[in-house]
Amino acid sequence: MTIRESAENYLETILMLSEKLPVVRSVDIATEMNFKKSSVSVAMKNLRENNYITVTKQGYIYLSDSGRQIAETIYERHKLLSSWLIALGVDEKTATEDACRIEHDISPESFEAIKRHIHSA
């Protein structure tokens, strides 16, 4: 199944928030992404229906195994690409924004080649 960029962004945000908060709720995601809570609620419903997340009765959001795998892949790409662009002399804000766009479209083959190049340099 192909997952949309917006869903990848939500999964990545859930992963990042779960690393710094004891629990993740829709309001946390809305705040982090600067989205309306209603938009986040619709996205969480779609992610839940596609088994990328689970939501408890209390409204706590957890990544499923498949959701975590996608989130970790996107987050790894984001971190590596943004740090690489910064090392190349791109200012941090631009590097982060560009990495966010690239991380969704780059092929696994190209990303692995970049990763090998960076780690061998």
Side-chain angles (χ1 to χ4, degrees):
M1 172 182 194
T2 303
I3 183 167
R4 298 174 109 163
E5 181 177 330
S6 61
E8 290 177 343
N9 282 332
Y10 278 110
L11 294 172
E12 180 184 21
T13 300
I14 293 166
L15 176 66
M16 292 180 342
L17 288 171
S18 71
E19 291 178 351
K20 59 184 177 180
L21 298 174
V23 293
V24 177
R25 301 164 300 149
S26 289
V27 67
D28 303 318
I29 297 166
T31 300
E32 181 72 20
M33 298 180 84
N34 200 25
F35 288 171
K36 292 180 182 175
K37 187 159 181 332
S38 58
S39 299
V40 173
S41 293
V42 169
M44 294 305 104
K45 178 180 181 271
N46 291 333
L47 291 174
R48 191 179 69 248
E49 287 175 352
N50 286 295
N51 298 314
Y52 293 121
I53 63 168
T54 58
V55 182
T56 67
K57 290 180 200 171
Q58 299 85 3
Y60 303 154
I61 300 166
Y62 297 97
L63 294 168
S64 66
D65 289 342
S66 61
R68 178 169 295 283
Q69 183 178 7
I70 293 165
E72 288 174 348
T73 297
I74 297 300
Y75 192 42
E76 177 192 22
R77 289 177 178 188
H78 180 84
K79 290 187 300 187
L80 186 104
L81 292 168
S82 58
S83 65
W84 181 50
L85 291 169
I86 291 166
L88 291 173
V90 178
D91 75 89
E92 186 175 347
K93 183 179 185 304
T94 302
T96 301
E97 290 169 357
D98 287 347
C100 197
R101 286 190 290 276
I102 296 167
E103 69 194 25
H104 300 286
D105 292 324
I106 193 168
S107 70
E109 179 184 1
S110 292
F111 179 72
E112 288 302 317
I114 291 170
K115 193 161 69 167
R116 281 193 309 275
H117 175 76
I118 290 170
H119 293 309
S120 69

